[in-house]
Amino acid sequence: PEDDEEQKRVVAAHFDAITKLYGDVTVVNLIDQKKDQLTLGTALKNKIMELNNSKVHNVWFDFHHECRKMQWHNLSKLMDIVDTKFNQDSFFAKDAAGNVKSLQTGVFRTNCMDNLDRTNVVQSLFARRSLMFQIGKQNEAANILDSGFKSFEKIFKNIWADHADVISILYSGTGALKTDFTRTGKRTYAGLLQDGKNSLVRYYLNNYQDGRTQDALDFFLGNFAVQSRLSAASYKSPISYSASQWFMSLFVVRFLIHLLMYLVLLLV
């Protein structure tokens, strides 16, 4: 909503619902602190401050800036920032007799722009750390990228990356970005190349193929009324293009993919 009062109402309703369910909420915002994302991030920060809700905490971590040039170790900065809250929120646990030994008092609400790629990486770090705490391996939790348990890490990383790919395919039409990192704990040039390819395919799909997807979402949400007299064959999606536009866009995408591959090979 564009109206400021309506924005306040929506934000308040959102966080009221979350705090009623989970208790304290730590908002981990991963978007850029520059250009358009700066405007959006500042608006979110201000709205959270206006809530004046002691149960809602805001952390803004510029993921792209901190991890630029493959400096993924800088994610430890984020973990240091949330460390105290992580310990305070604790986790739910029962013993074999059914006695409650500890309660979880809060959650981390992570977001980026599309809540796909950056969010997925950071949530994998939170998940590993939480699990290490739950099994009494707090010392192993100090290494944010690897627990040291090889068999566990192989299963954990692959399950997490597979899950990310499924969600991303449903949402964007391609696998998730940065899954070389979630699968191996390392950023690679091959992964960078794959991300470039996926980004270009996403651009193509989002601009030329998303008509039917948007129609399906609108129908599911009740925003699209089916016209009974309109046959499927005669219906045109709101996003439609001529054959020449399709061919030209496909040619451009393929050219950009090959150009990107060439540039990455030069850097290796």
Side-chain angles (χ1 to χ4, degrees), residues 32 35 64 108 141 143 236 256 263:
D32 300 348
K35 298 184 179 179
H64 284 153
F108 286 88
N143 185 345
K236 255 186 126 174
L256 290 174
L263 292 174

Side-chain angles (χ1 to χ4, degrees), residues 3-262:
D3 181 74
D4 187 63
E5 290 303 315
E6 181 65 7
Q7 289 177 4
K8 291 179 182 178
R9 186 193 67 78
V10 170
V11 172
H14 171 67
F15 285 108
D16 283 347
I18 298 177
T19 53
K20 285 177 182 177
L21 282 173
Y22 305 113
D24 280 18
V25 176
T26 301
V27 179
V28 180
N29 181 13
L30 303 172
I31 66 177
D32 300 348
Q33 294 183 13
K34 62 180 182 180
K35 298 184 179 179
D36 292 343
Q37 293 189 30
L38 172 62
T39 303
L40 182 61
T42 301
L44 175 62
K45 181 181 71 173
N46 291 340
K47 288 295 179 288
I48 291 174
M49 291 176 64
E50 290 170 7
L51 290 176
N52 197 26
N53 187 336
S54 61
K55 290 188 175 182
V56 182
H57 316 274
N58 185 54
V59 174
W60 189 354
F61 183 82
D62 188 335
F63 186 103
H64 284 153
H65 175 73
E66 294 292 346
C67 298
R68 67 193 185 283
K69 298 181 180 179
M70 298 192 178
Q71 298 182 86
W72 295 82
H73 59 277
N74 281 339
L75 287 168
S76 61
K77 295 180 182 179
L78 172 60
M79 301 305 285
D80 289 340
I81 293 170
V82 302
D83 183 67
T84 300
K85 199 70 184 71
F86 210 99
N87 288 307
Q88 290 175 349
D89 289 346
S90 188
F91 54 88
F92 178 81
K94 276 186 176 181
D95 63 17
N99 301 310
V100 175
K101 306 300 289 184
S102 66
L103 292 173
Q104 182 172 339
T105 60
V107 294
F108 286 88
R109 175 200 174 279
T110 314
N111 74 269
C112 49
M113 287 300 290
D114 295 312
N115 302 322
L116 279 178
D117 309 308
R118 288 172 282 185
T119 296
N120 179 63
V121 169
V122 169
Q123 285 186 326
S124 72
L125 305 184
F126 289 165
R128 177 186 290 103
R129 186 164 191 163
S130 179
L131 183 57
M132 291 299 105
F133 271 77
Q134 290 175 48
I135 63 175
K137 298 293 183 181
Q138 287 89 337
N139 292 335
E140 282 75 5
N143 185 345
I144 66 166
L145 304 181
D146 196 301
S147 66
F149 302 106
K150 292 184 179 180
S151 296
F152 160 74
E153 284 294 328
K154 182 177 180 180
I155 296 171
F156 173 81
K157 289 173 179 175
N158 280 293
I159 288 177
W160 202 274
D162 289 345
H163 176 262
D165 282 339
V166 171
I167 297 296
S168 181
I169 288 169
L170 286 171
Y171 182 72
S172 69
T174 75
L177 307 184
K178 304 175 178 69
T179 49
D180 59 323
F181 180 79
T182 48
R183 287 188 191 279
T184 67
K186 298 177 181 178
R187 198 72 166 109
T188 64
Y189 284 107
L192 189 64
L193 177 60
Q194 184 63 38
D195 284 358
K197 176 185 175 183
N198 282 347
S199 295
L200 289 170
V201 173
R202 284 182 182 184
Y203 177 83
Y204 171 75
L205 293 175
N206 291 343
N207 284 279
Y208 301 106
Q209 292 278 346
D210 259 3
R212 299 176 72 182
T213 303
Q214 187 62 53
D215 293 344
L217 288 171
D218 285 340
F219 179 73
F220 180 77
L221 295 172
N223 298 324
F224 178 77
V226 176
Q227 301 177 43
S228 58
R229 295 183 179 180
L230 192 62
S231 68
S234 63
Y235 174 70
K236 255 186 126 174
S237 170
I239 302 178
S240 58
Y241 295 86
S242 66
S244 61
Q245 287 175 304
W246 284 101
F247 178 80
M248 189 62 192
S249 61
L250 183 59
F251 171 80
V252 170
V253 168
R254 291 188 65 180
F255 170 77
L256 290 174
I257 289 174
H258 286 294
L259 177 62
L260 180 65
M261 291 174 65
Y262 174 73

